[in-house]
Amino acid sequence: QVKLVESGGGLVQAGGSLRLSCAVSGSMFTIRDMGWFRQPPGKQRELVATITRGGIANYADSVKGRFTISRVNAKSTVYLQMNSLKPEDTAVYYCNAKTYSDDYWGQGTQVTVSS
């Protein structure tokens, strides 16, 4: 069983920065890709960024150049550094971890960007 716990969300003004963390516990050696998704108010959940076990990152066009995903396998932790935040980045952010057979999600952390 894999458990994910996010932290680091909060309220920030437009142009500011936040760093999200996701700590993974359980059968960590089975995890392949990890990532961050978000669900804006009234909208569907969408991909923000993913990273492979080898460190290859992929980003949504809307966050390229502003967000950076990183991963420390030894600590079983994935981070999302968010810079130049915009009001449209307001959402609940979810951590995701994939094994070869399962998909795991954290409980979500709220990020609110004020204009």
Side-chain angles (χ1 to χ4, degrees):
Q1 188 70 19
V2 175
K3 183 178 180 182
L4 286 69
V5 178
E6 302 104 334
S7 60
L11 173 65
V12 65
Q13 288 188 333
S17 298
L18 282 174
R19 188 192 196 206
L20 305 183
S21 300
C22 175
V24 183
S25 61
S27 302
M28 298 169 285
F29 64 91
T30 65
I31 294 172
R32 298 186 300 127
D33 298 349
M34 297 190 71
W36 291 93
F37 290 70
R38 67 187 182 187
Q39 187 164 14
K43 297 184 179 180
Q44 292 187 332
R45 192 174 298 188
E46 61 186 22
L47 179 145
V48 176
T50 60
I51 187 166
T52 67
R53 189 170 182 84
I56 298 173
N58 179 57
Y59 297 93
D61 288 343
S62 59
V63 306
K64 281 181 181 177
R66 301 188 297 122
F67 291 10
T68 302
I69 189 171
S70 60
R71 176 175 177 170
V72 181
N73 290 327
K75 295 183 178 180
S76 299
T77 303
V78 63
Y79 303 96
L80 185 69
Q81 178 66 44
M82 305 185 292
N83 298 328
S84 302
L85 282 161
K86 304 176 181 179
E88 50 264 44
D89 294 318
T90 294
V92 178
Y93 283 71
Y94 295 91
C95 179
N96 172 261
K98 298 184 187 299
T99 67
Y100 285 100
S101 58
D102 294 295
D103 225 349
Y104 296 94
W105 295 91
Q107 81 286 354
T109 185
Q110 177 70 46
V111 172
T112 303
V113 185
S114 63
S115 57

